[in-house]
Amino acid sequence: MTSTPIPATTRGRALVVGATGITGQAVARRLVADGWDTTGLSRSGRELVDQMATVSADLTSAEELRTALTDVHPEIVVITAWTRRDTEAENIEVNGALVRDLLAALEPAGSVRHVALMTGLKHYLGPFEAYATGVMPDTPFHEEEPRLETPNFYYAQEDELFAAAARQGFTWSVHRAHTVFGFATGNAMNMVATLCAYATLCRELDRPFVFPGSQTQWDSLTDVTDAELLAEQMVWAATDPAGADQAFNIANGDVFRWRWLWPQIAAHFDLPWEGFEGEPRTLEHAMAGVEDTWTAIAQREGLAESRLDRVASWWHTDGDLGRDIEVCTDMNKSRAAGFTATRDTRAAFFDYAERYRAARIIP
């Protein structure tokens, strides 16, 4: 398959699907800064990025997608959205259909040259129902590892992407991110915002900053993905021939142990801390019933969001920090292809924490 790459210096048209999410906002900001005419598609249609046009649609409705995208003719499409259902069979159905229906809605205009799809490390670890069970590849994970035998909605999304690319003639890229650090307003699935909210509540309730996860996560090496680095890779893959028709891992390029970073986060918020002791002490358990406390803090401090569930997602961070396996990724394929950007994870965490403070998300 061939496609003419779009030079990075040429202003073009881009569509970001899931534009209100942590990654979607980062990609949109990057595209706007690079001079792209950028449209964000989301269920709400909220305007969270300056100079980005917006359209709204239920991403699970083929009819709404066709209607919303009638006059949107992008050259590059970045898909960062997914929907969680109760079973993996339902996840496969709804998320595979999302990619299929979206690309079908864009097909009549014939404008699409490249589609970048964000997935994640469940590609190697398995889906929610069978997470980190059975035979998995050794860490660090490499892109050439064969798919697991367990059905997985990431595989369904890839297959729909590949089928549409073969039919429509555009190039594609898949971006497998680890835990994403970033800045996003109105989106709670973000470990940085969640830990900042947790620290704020620990201070208010005079509690120590307790590590909620497993001993494996406390002691083992791990890595994460900066949302802005992920955005940079996705735009690179959409505009550089070396990124065409490839799947890439994307992580910051450094590794760390939570037992090293956790005390530094506690010190940043001037809190006593506790590490792993005997068993995980989950955030869902520790933070049960604190919604009114957050509301009181928000009112007293003039915070932008008084609803805790729009700032923090205990289950999401518990899932990442509670894993009983080592998780890290190999970045050599991306580097060999010419994408060599990196991020300092510690610096990124504290930079985002201060951005949340400046935006009055935390006091």
Side-chain angles (χ1 to χ4, degrees), residues 7-12 27-38 231-232 235-236 239:
T9 55
T10 298
R11 185 178 177 89
V27 175
R29 288 191 294 266
R30 175 74 192 215
L31 287 165
V32 168
D34 286 352
W36 290 81
D37 289 320
T38 304
E232 188 175 343
V235 175
W236 163 79
T239 56

PDB file of all heavy atoms in Angstrom, residues 7-12 27-38 231-232 235-236 239:
ATOM      1  N   PRO A   7       3.609  16.625   4.243  1.00  0.00           N
ATOM      2  CA  PRO A   7       4.728  17.289   4.916  1.00  0.00           C
ATOM      3  C   PRO A   7       4.274  17.962   6.195  1.00  0.00           C
ATOM      4  O   PRO A   7       3.198  18.550   6.269  1.00  0.00           O
ATOM      5  CB  PRO A   7       5.199  18.320   3.877  1.00  0.00           C
ATOM      6  CG  PRO A   7       4.705  17.799   2.567  1.00  0.00           C
ATOM      7  CD  PRO A   7       3.415  17.101   2.864  1.00  0.00           C
ATOM      8  N   ALA A   8       5.112  17.880   7.219  1.00  0.00           N
ATOM      9  CA  ALA A   8       4.737  18.426   8.521  1.00  0.00           C
ATOM     10  C   ALA A   8       4.574  19.939   8.474  1.00  0.00           C
ATOM     11  O   ALA A   8       3.930  20.515   9.343  1.00  0.00           O
ATOM     12  CB  ALA A   8       5.781  18.032   9.557  1.00  0.00           C
ATOM     13  N   THR A   9       5.163  20.580   7.483  1.00  0.00           N
ATOM     14  CA  THR A   9       5.083  22.042   7.409  1.00  0.00           C
ATOM     15  C   THR A   9       3.833  22.517   6.665  1.00  0.00           C
ATOM     16  O   THR A   9       3.585  23.709   6.576  1.00  0.00           O
ATOM     17  CB  THR A   9       6.320  22.597   6.692  1.00  0.00           C
ATOM     18  OG1 THR A   9       6.442  21.968   5.416  1.00  0.00           O
ATOM     19  CG2 THR A   9       7.579  22.338   7.500  1.00  0.00           C
ATOM     20  N   THR A  10       3.066  21.593   6.105  1.00  0.00           N
ATOM     21  CA  THR A  10       1.881  21.964   5.340  1.00  0.00           C
ATOM     22  C   THR A  10       0.652  21.931   6.236  1.00  0.00           C
ATOM     23  O   THR A  10       0.396  20.959   6.917  1.00  0.00           O
ATOM     24  CB  THR A  10       1.679  20.994   4.160  1.00  0.00           C
ATOM     25  OG1 THR A  10       2.792  21.090   3.294  1.00  0.00           O
ATOM     26  CG2 THR A  10       0.411  21.341   3.392  1.00  0.00           C
ATOM     27  N   ARG A  11      -0.093  23.019   6.217  1.00  0.00           N
ATOM     28  CA  ARG A  11      -1.330  23.061   6.971  1.00  0.00           C
ATOM     29  C   ARG A  11      -2.344  22.167   6.280  1.00  0.00           C
ATOM     30  O   ARG A  11      -2.624  22.327   5.100  1.00  0.00           O
ATOM     31  CB  ARG A  11      -1.844  24.503   7.033  1.00  0.00           C
ATOM     32  CG  ARG A  11      -3.083  24.703   7.901  1.00  0.00           C
ATOM     33  CD  ARG A  11      -3.453  26.189   7.910  1.00  0.00           C
ATOM     34  NE  ARG A  11      -4.657  26.426   8.670  1.00  0.00           N
ATOM     35  CZ  ARG A  11      -4.681  26.670   9.981  1.00  0.00           C
ATOM     36  NH1 ARG A  11      -3.553  26.670  10.662  1.00  0.00           N
ATOM     37  NH2 ARG A  11      -5.821  26.891  10.613  1.00  0.00           N
ATOM     38  N   GLY A  12      -2.909  21.218   7.037  1.00  0.00           N
ATOM     39  CA  GLY A  12      -3.895  20.305   6.493  1.00  0.00           C
ATOM     40  C   GLY A  12      -5.082  20.202   7.430  1.00  0.00           C
ATOM     41  O   GLY A  12      -5.233  20.976   8.364  1.00  0.00           O
ATOM     42  N   VAL A  27      -3.402  15.452  21.723  1.00  0.00           N
ATOM     43  CA  VAL A  27      -3.225  15.391  20.268  1.00  0.00           C
ATOM     44  C   VAL A  27      -3.788  16.650  19.615  1.00  0.00           C
ATOM     45  O   VAL A  27      -3.167  17.234  18.718  1.00  0.00           O
ATOM     46  CB  VAL A  27      -3.894  14.132  19.687  1.00  0.00           C
ATOM     47  CG1 VAL A  27      -3.818  14.152  18.165  1.00  0.00           C
ATOM     48  CG2 VAL A  27      -3.223  12.872  20.225  1.00  0.00           C
ATOM     49  N   ALA A  28      -4.965  17.070  20.064  1.00  0.00           N
ATOM     50  CA  ALA A  28      -5.572  18.264  19.480  1.00  0.00           C
ATOM     51  C   ALA A  28      -4.700  19.495  19.690  1.00  0.00           C
ATOM     52  O   ALA A  28      -4.503  20.301  18.769  1.00  0.00           O
ATOM     53  CB  ALA A  28      -6.962  18.478  20.074  1.00  0.00           C
ATOM     54  N   ARG A  29      -4.168  19.646  20.912  1.00  0.00           N
ATOM     55  CA  ARG A  29      -3.283  20.792  21.163  1.00  0.00           C
ATOM     56  C   ARG A  29      -2.057  20.734  20.269  1.00  0.00           C
ATOM     57  O   ARG A  29      -1.594  21.767  19.749  1.00  0.00           O
ATOM     58  CB  ARG A  29      -2.878  20.828  22.635  1.00  0.00           C
ATOM     59  CG  ARG A  29      -3.988  21.251  23.591  1.00  0.00           C
ATOM     60  CD  ARG A  29      -3.455  21.533  24.979  1.00  0.00           C
ATOM     61  NE  ARG A  29      -2.930  20.348  25.635  1.00  0.00           N
ATOM     62  CZ  ARG A  29      -3.627  19.567  26.462  1.00  0.00           C
ATOM     63  NH1 ARG A  29      -4.896  19.845  26.722  1.00  0.00           N
ATOM     64  NH2 ARG A  29      -3.066  18.522  27.038  1.00  0.00           N
ATOM     65  N   ARG A  30      -1.519  19.542  20.061  1.00  0.00           N
ATOM     66  CA  ARG A  30      -0.338  19.398  19.218  1.00  0.00           C
ATOM     67  C   ARG A  30      -0.650  19.767  17.764  1.00  0.00           C
ATOM     68  O   ARG A  30       0.102  20.497  17.106  1.00  0.00           O
ATOM     69  CB  ARG A  30       0.163  17.955  19.294  1.00  0.00           C
ATOM     70  CG  ARG A  30       1.326  17.629  18.371  1.00  0.00           C
ATOM     71  CD  ARG A  30       2.600  18.225  18.874  1.00  0.00           C
ATOM     72  NE  ARG A  30       3.674  18.170  17.900  1.00  0.00           N
ATOM     73  CZ  ARG A  30       4.947  17.976  18.199  1.00  0.00           C
ATOM     74  NH1 ARG A  30       5.305  17.803  19.451  1.00  0.00           N
ATOM     75  NH2 ARG A  30       5.876  17.960  17.273  1.00  0.00           N
ATOM     76  N   LEU A  31      -1.755  19.268  17.252  1.00  0.00           N
ATOM     77  CA  LEU A  31      -2.121  19.548  15.865  1.00  0.00           C
ATOM     78  C   LEU A  31      -2.382  21.036  15.650  1.00  0.00           C
ATOM     79  O   LEU A  31      -1.933  21.614  14.655  1.00  0.00           O
ATOM     80  CB  LEU A  31      -3.353  18.732  15.492  1.00  0.00           C
ATOM     81  CG  LEU A  31      -3.123  17.227  15.305  1.00  0.00           C
ATOM     82  CD1 LEU A  31      -4.454  16.488  15.307  1.00  0.00           C
ATOM     83  CD2 LEU A  31      -2.352  16.953  14.021  1.00  0.00           C
ATOM     84  N   VAL A  32      -3.102  21.650  16.572  1.00  0.00           N
ATOM     85  CA  VAL A  32      -3.374  23.088  16.456  1.00  0.00           C
ATOM     86  C   VAL A  32      -2.062  23.872  16.473  1.00  0.00           C
ATOM     87  O   VAL A  32      -1.850  24.787  15.666  1.00  0.00           O
ATOM     88  CB  VAL A  32      -4.315  23.550  17.580  1.00  0.00           C
ATOM     89  CG1 VAL A  32      -4.366  25.073  17.660  1.00  0.00           C
ATOM     90  CG2 VAL A  32      -5.715  22.984  17.372  1.00  0.00           C
ATOM     91  N   ALA A  33      -1.167  23.509  17.393  1.00  0.00           N
ATOM     92  CA  ALA A  33       0.116  24.205  17.482  1.00  0.00           C
ATOM     93  C   ALA A  33       0.934  24.039  16.214  1.00  0.00           C
ATOM     94  O   ALA A  33       1.690  24.942  15.827  1.00  0.00           O
ATOM     95  CB  ALA A  33       0.903  23.692  18.690  1.00  0.00           C
ATOM     96  N   ASP A  34       0.787  22.900  15.539  1.00  0.00           N
ATOM     97  CA  ASP A  34       1.527  22.643  14.304  1.00  0.00           C
ATOM     98  C   ASP A  34       0.861  23.258  13.085  1.00  0.00           C
ATOM     99  O   ASP A  34       1.372  23.126  11.973  1.00  0.00           O
ATOM    100  CB  ASP A  34       1.675  21.131  14.091  1.00  0.00           C
ATOM    101  CG  ASP A  34       2.704  20.510  15.025  1.00  0.00           C
ATOM    102  OD1 ASP A  34       3.403  21.261  15.733  1.00  0.00           O
ATOM    103  OD2 ASP A  34       2.798  19.263  15.057  1.00  0.00           O
ATOM    104  N   GLY A  35      -0.304  23.906  13.282  1.00  0.00           N
ATOM    105  CA  GLY A  35      -0.941  24.594  12.181  1.00  0.00           C
ATOM    106  C   GLY A  35      -2.012  23.829  11.432  1.00  0.00           C
ATOM    107  O   GLY A  35      -2.448  24.243  10.354  1.00  0.00           O
ATOM    108  N   TRP A  36      -2.458  22.700  11.972  1.00  0.00           N
ATOM    109  CA  TRP A  36      -3.501  21.922  11.321  1.00  0.00           C
ATOM    110  C   TRP A  36      -4.881  22.521  11.612  1.00  0.00           C
ATOM    111  O   TRP A  36      -5.152  22.969  12.728  1.00  0.00           O
ATOM    112  CB  TRP A  36      -3.470  20.476  11.820  1.00  0.00           C
ATOM    113  CG  TRP A  36      -2.276  19.708  11.354  1.00  0.00           C
ATOM    114  CD1 TRP A  36      -1.022  19.735  11.896  1.00  0.00           C
ATOM    115  CD2 TRP A  36      -2.226  18.818  10.257  1.00  0.00           C
ATOM    116  NE1 TRP A  36      -0.183  18.907  11.197  1.00  0.00           N
ATOM    117  CE2 TRP A  36      -0.897  18.323  10.180  1.00  0.00           C
ATOM    118  CE3 TRP A  36      -3.156  18.371   9.328  1.00  0.00           C
ATOM    119  CZ2 TRP A  36      -0.488  17.425   9.208  1.00  0.00           C
ATOM    120  CZ3 TRP A  36      -2.759  17.452   8.356  1.00  0.00           C
ATOM    121  CH2 TRP A  36      -1.435  16.997   8.301  1.00  0.00           C
ATOM    122  N   ASP A  37      -5.753  22.487  10.615  1.00  0.00           N
ATOM    123  CA  ASP A  37      -7.171  22.779  10.826  1.00  0.00           C
ATOM    124  C   ASP A  37      -7.758  21.550  11.510  1.00  0.00           C
ATOM    125  O   ASP A  37      -7.944  20.504  10.873  1.00  0.00           O
ATOM    126  CB  ASP A  37      -7.886  23.032   9.497  1.00  0.00           C
ATOM    127  CG  ASP A  37      -7.477  24.350   8.869  1.00  0.00           C
ATOM    128  OD1 ASP A  37      -7.321  25.332   9.612  1.00  0.00           O
ATOM    129  OD2 ASP A  37      -7.296  24.381   7.644  1.00  0.00           O
ATOM    130  N   THR A  38      -8.039  21.665  12.787  1.00  0.00           N
ATOM    131  CA  THR A  38      -8.341  20.504  13.603  1.00  0.00           C
ATOM    132  C   THR A  38      -9.793  20.520  14.056  1.00  0.00           C
ATOM    133  O   THR A  38     -10.299  21.524  14.554  1.00  0.00           O
ATOM    134  CB  THR A  38      -7.422  20.480  14.841  1.00  0.00           C
ATOM    135  OG1 THR A  38      -6.058  20.517  14.405  1.00  0.00           O
ATOM    136  CG2 THR A  38      -7.648  19.230  15.672  1.00  0.00           C
ATOM    137  N   ALA A 231       1.043  12.046  21.719  1.00  0.00           N
ATOM    138  CA  ALA A 231       0.538  12.919  20.663  1.00  0.00           C
ATOM    139  C   ALA A 231       1.612  13.186  19.618  1.00  0.00           C
ATOM    140  O   ALA A 231       1.349  13.157  18.401  1.00  0.00           O
ATOM    141  CB  ALA A 231       0.048  14.231  21.262  1.00  0.00           C
ATOM    142  N   GLU A 232       2.824  13.423  20.082  1.00  0.00           N
ATOM    143  CA  GLU A 232       3.928  13.691  19.161  1.00  0.00           C
ATOM    144  C   GLU A 232       4.182  12.490  18.261  1.00  0.00           C
ATOM    145  O   GLU A 232       4.409  12.634  17.050  1.00  0.00           O
ATOM    146  CB  GLU A 232       5.182  14.037  19.969  1.00  0.00           C
ATOM    147  CG  GLU A 232       6.349  14.517  19.154  1.00  0.00           C
ATOM    148  CD  GLU A 232       7.534  14.952  20.016  1.00  0.00           C
ATOM    149  OE1 GLU A 232       7.346  15.186  21.226  1.00  0.00           O
ATOM    150  OE2 GLU A 232       8.653  15.051  19.456  1.00  0.00           O
ATOM    151  N   VAL A 235       1.310  12.115  15.559  1.00  0.00           N
ATOM    152  CA  VAL A 235       1.426  13.076  14.463  1.00  0.00           C
ATOM    153  C   VAL A 235       2.630  12.736  13.594  1.00  0.00           C
ATOM    154  O   VAL A 235       2.564  12.832  12.357  1.00  0.00           O
ATOM    155  CB  VAL A 235       1.506  14.514  15.010  1.00  0.00           C
ATOM    156  CG1 VAL A 235       1.762  15.515  13.888  1.00  0.00           C
ATOM    157  CG2 VAL A 235       0.216  14.872  15.755  1.00  0.00           C
ATOM    158  N   TRP A 236       3.715  12.303  14.215  1.00  0.00           N
ATOM    159  CA  TRP A 236       4.887  11.868  13.430  1.00  0.00           C
ATOM    160  C   TRP A 236       4.525  10.719  12.504  1.00  0.00           C
ATOM    161  O   TRP A 236       4.848  10.734  11.302  1.00  0.00           O
ATOM    162  CB  TRP A 236       6.016  11.442  14.382  1.00  0.00           C
ATOM    163  CG  TRP A 236       7.072  10.616  13.709  1.00  0.00           C
ATOM    164  CD1 TRP A 236       8.089  11.065  12.916  1.00  0.00           C
ATOM    165  CD2 TRP A 236       7.194   9.186  13.741  1.00  0.00           C
ATOM    166  NE1 TRP A 236       8.847  10.009  12.457  1.00  0.00           N
ATOM    167  CE2 TRP A 236       8.319   8.845  12.943  1.00  0.00           C
ATOM    168  CE3 TRP A 236       6.477   8.174  14.356  1.00  0.00           C
ATOM    169  CZ2 TRP A 236       8.724   7.525  12.768  1.00  0.00           C
ATOM    170  CZ3 TRP A 236       6.872   6.852  14.179  1.00  0.00           C
ATOM    171  CH2 TRP A 236       7.987   6.541  13.391  1.00  0.00           C
ATOM    172  N   THR A 239       2.664  11.682   9.393  1.00  0.00           N
ATOM    173  CA  THR A 239       3.296  12.611   8.455  1.00  0.00           C
ATOM    174  C   THR A 239       4.659  12.156   7.951  1.00  0.00           C
ATOM    175  O   THR A 239       5.237  12.809   7.080  1.00  0.00           O
ATOM    176  CB  THR A 239       3.454  14.001   9.106  1.00  0.00           C
ATOM    177  OG1 THR A 239       4.193  13.877  10.321  1.00  0.00           O
ATOM    178  CG2 THR A 239       2.097  14.623   9.409  1.00  0.00           C
TER     179      THR A 239
END
